[in-house]
Amino acid sequence: MDVTVAGWVSLVPLLVTLLWWWNDLWFGLPVRFRCSASGTKLPPGHMGVPFLGEMLNFLWYFKLLRRPDDYINSKRHRYGDGVGMYRSHLFGSPTIIACSPSVNKFVFQSDAFIMEWPAVEIVGSSSMVTVQGKAHTRLRTLVSRAINQPDALRRIAPLFQPRVLAALQSWAEKGRILGFNEAKKVTFENIGKFFAGFEPGPVLDTLDELFTGMIHGIRAYPVNIPRTAYHHALQCRKKAVGIFREELEKRKRNQNCAEAKNDLLDELMQLKDDEGKQLSDIEVLDNIVGFVVAGYGTTSLAKMWALYYLAKYPNVLQKLREENMPLAKKKTGDLITSDEIAKLKYTNMKRKSYKIPKGWKVLLWVRYLHTNPENFEDPMCFNPDRWKEPAKPGAYQVFGGGSRVCVGNMLARLQLAIFLHHLCVGYKWELINPESEMSYLSHPKPVDGVEISFSKL
């Protein structure tokens, strides 16, 4: 009996070691074999234990310590700072963490990497963010023409401003607001109207809650178990698709007796391929959901951070006012045009180059097992020596790059410039909790939601 127990005890270190290196053996070993002939290798790192990978370590830094930079710094200190990328296993997938602008640029500009994040199940398998090739190009061309070209921006600018003006007026009347909640609301009202013709009301409020749940699930571990963020996101998607499907069916029934709303949903319904074939209903629904996700969360957060940092740095706010006040005084009405906005260099951050502050890193996760080998010799065989050159000005591309550059980047800039113009020329505000702690999941934001006192100038 003692011999049997001793035998099992002696196996424990072996089992622990096997579990510790399981993901590296299971996912990394086949890649090493494929790369050995060319002399390249996987980046340094550790892929963690089965199923969980390095998620516990990730959550330790992001959720408990609230020091996300230290997560990357721990890898830099352990594996060195010269490679600029590290292997890991996060959110259920083998992952490359890239913190070098050179690597990020390579990934952005390569068509070899199949984008499977955000989660396909949440944004939809027919969405532009997940489809490839001709289908992606066709949808991208449509969306760019509808929301991102100069003529489209000229048409959109006056449509977005009434809600912004009304929101700022209501904030001043309240006197004290949560910047995060209010920025979300005004952004979603404009996106809901312009993308799908929804006016403010119960339906739009419901959609706001559903898309909030979806966005939380996009940055959650993909386990479809009740009471998890991912499961909740899938349920929210199902309900949101149901609302859009009802609107889609209504438009199809009334298409011969009612004027088109000329929004993005109408554009998707009318889109045809080279053979004259229209999108199926599920393709329309997947894409309208995907576009709302893309056009809603990040723009809301940008407005929230504008409120936060302009209150923190009054010298920046003063420069913004100095540029925008002359334009406001020249206007006979409240609305400004996209052409006028384009001339606001400081507001639009028009510079010849952008600099990454010392010590800052760009985090880009590349799932290196989801690639398209036909596009180049072996995309899995990363050569670390290629990425040792120093960062150059302009290397950080906030809207991405290549064929996957944000299709609505000009629309996002327009929304933010409109918001900043009306905000700085007419209102003043202060942070209630200037030293509020930060939370970093699912998106970075102050814990207090940017509580501010808000009034007219």
Side-chain angles (χ1 to χ4, degrees), residues 162-405:
R163 285 178 175 79
V164 172
L165 290 167
L168 294 174
Q169 175 65 32
S170 71
W171 298 0
E173 292 172 357
K174 293 175 183 177
R176 192 163 175 164
I177 63 165
L178 292 181
F180 176 62
N181 292 346
E182 297 296 341
K184 275 200 335 154
K185 182 178 179 182
V186 66
T187 303
F188 197 74
E189 285 181 355
N190 268 328
I191 291 294
K193 172 64 178 176
F194 183 69
F195 281 17
F198 289 119
E199 298 289 348
V203 173
L204 199 61
D205 291 342
T206 299
L207 281 172
D208 189 357
E209 294 179 7
L210 295 175
F211 276 95
T212 298
M214 290 169 62
I215 290 171
H216 286 165
I218 285 174
R219 285 175 169 81
Y221 198 94
V223 178
N224 191 9
I225 299 175
R227 303 187 70 82
T228 63
Y230 185 76
H231 176 81
H232 179 64
L234 293 178
Q235 298 304 306
C236 288
R237 171 187 160 77
K238 183 178 180 180
K239 293 175 183 178
V241 168
I243 293 174
F244 281 114
R245 186 182 295 278
E246 185 177 338
E247 177 66 19
L248 180 65
E249 293 297 331
K250 184 192 302 181
R251 295 190 186 198
K252 289 167 68 176
R253 289 193 301 268
N254 298 334
Q255 60 184 352
N256 296 324
C257 58
E259 291 185 4
K261 294 187 177 181
N262 294 320
D263 52 28
L264 191 56
L265 182 56
D266 269 342
E267 296 269 5
L268 289 170
M269 292 173 65
Q270 296 165 16
L271 179 64
K272 297 180 180 179
D273 60 19
D274 295 337
E275 300 175 354
K277 182 181 178 181
Q278 290 184 304
L279 295 180
S280 66
D281 286 356
I282 190 60
E283 287 177 310
V284 172
L285 293 171
D286 276 355
N287 277 286
I288 198 65
V289 167
F291 293 145
V292 173
V293 168
Y296 168 41
T298 52
T299 306
S300 300
L301 286 164
K303 291 176 181 177
M304 176 205 75
W305 285 116
L307 289 167
Y308 179 85
Y309 280 114
L310 289 175
K312 280 265 190 177
Y313 299 97
N315 58 316
V316 177
L317 177 57
Q318 182 58 34
K319 290 181 180 179
L320 200 62
R321 283 196 173 121
E322 288 173 359
E323 180 180 67
N324 280 267
M325 278 296 190
L327 177 59
K329 291 177 180 178
K330 287 193 300 184
K331 300 296 292 180
T332 55
D334 288 326
L335 306 186
I336 58 175
T337 68
S338 62
D339 292 329
E340 290 169 327
I341 291 170
K343 297 176 183 178
L344 301 173
K345 293 183 179 181
Y346 190 77
T347 304
N348 286 288
M349 288 298 291
K350 289 188 177 180
R351 302 287 190 272
K352 291 183 179 180
S353 63
Y354 297 87
K355 180 181 179 181
I356 302 175
K358 184 178 180 181
W360 287 33
K361 291 291 182 181
V362 181
L363 178 61
L364 174 68
W365 296 339
V366 183
R367 297 183 173 192
Y368 65 82
L369 294 184
H370 298 299
T371 56
N372 185 359
E374 287 80 17
N375 286 351
F376 52 101
E377 291 181 2
D378 193 342
M380 297 181 183
C381 301
F382 292 104
N383 182 353
D385 291 334
R386 295 179 62 185
W387 317 116
K388 289 185 178 179
E389 68 268 29
K392 298 177 181 178
Y396 176 46
Q397 299 170 316
V398 68
F399 288 106
S403 64
R404 292 284 176 174
V405 66

Side-chain angles (χ1 to χ4, degrees), residues 120-183:
V120 174
E121 296 81 5
I122 295 176
V123 297
S125 59
S126 303
S127 173
M128 190 188 75
V129 301
T130 58
V131 296
Q132 308 292 318
K134 290 183 178 180
H136 176 263
T137 301
R138 178 166 53 117
L139 288 165
R140 185 177 186 82
T141 301
L142 161 75
V143 177
S144 178
R145 186 174 62 244
I147 67 174
N148 223 45
Q149 297 300 312
D151 288 344
L153 297 175
R154 292 186 185 99
R155 177 171 54 89
I156 294 169
L159 298 178
F160 271 23
Q161 292 179 70
R163 285 178 175 79
V164 172
L165 290 167
L168 294 174
Q169 175 65 32
S170 71
W171 298 0
E173 292 172 357
K174 293 175 183 177
R176 192 163 175 164
I177 63 165
L178 292 181
F180 176 62
N181 292 346
E182 297 296 341

Side-chain angles (χ1 to χ4, degrees), residues 4-181:
T4 303
V5 172
W8 279 108
V9 171
S10 66
L11 288 175
V12 170
L14 179 62
L15 292 174
V16 171
T17 302
L18 182 62
L19 287 174
W20 183 250
W21 292 105
W22 179 265
N23 281 342
D24 277 279
L25 294 171
W26 184 260
F27 295 106
L29 201 57
V31 178
R32 287 192 180 92
F33 280 129
R34 286 196 292 273
C35 294
S36 59
S38 61
T40 54
K41 57 185 179 181
L42 284 173
H46 179 244
M47 300 180 72
V49 299
F51 185 70
L52 290 176
E54 283 200 308
M55 280 303 298
L56 294 180
N57 190 37
F58 176 88
L59 292 173
W60 170 257
Y61 282 104
F62 274 73
K63 201 169 185 68
L64 297 179
L65 294 183
R66 292 180 179 174
R67 295 204 304 266
D69 289 346
D70 287 351
Y71 175 72
I72 298 299
N73 288 334
S74 67
K75 296 187 177 298
R76 294 170 58 201
H77 294 153
R78 183 172 181 179
Y79 303 111
D81 201 22
V83 175
M85 54 183 172
Y86 311 96
R87 71 177 183 270
S88 185
H89 191 286
L90 296 168
F91 297 95
S93 174
T95 302
I96 293 295
I97 300 173
C99 45
S100 159
S102 299
V103 185
N104 293 347
K105 185 177 180 180
F106 168 73
V107 174
F108 282 142
Q109 294 183 350
S110 173
D111 291 328
F113 296 91
I114 300 173
M115 302 300 176
E116 294 193 357
W117 192 90
V120 174
E121 296 81 5
I122 295 176
V123 297
S125 59
S126 303
S127 173
M128 190 188 75
V129 301
T130 58
V131 296
Q132 308 292 318
K134 290 183 178 180
H136 176 263
T137 301
R138 178 166 53 117
L139 288 165
R140 185 177 186 82
T141 301
L142 161 75
V143 177
S144 178
R145 186 174 62 244
I147 67 174
N148 223 45
Q149 297 300 312
D151 288 344
L153 297 175
R154 292 186 185 99
R155 177 171 54 89
I156 294 169
L159 298 178
F160 271 23
Q161 292 179 70
R163 285 178 175 79
V164 172
L165 290 167
L168 294 174
Q169 175 65 32
S170 71
W171 298 0
E173 292 172 357
K174 293 175 183 177
R176 192 163 175 164
I177 63 165
L178 292 181
F180 176 62
N181 292 346

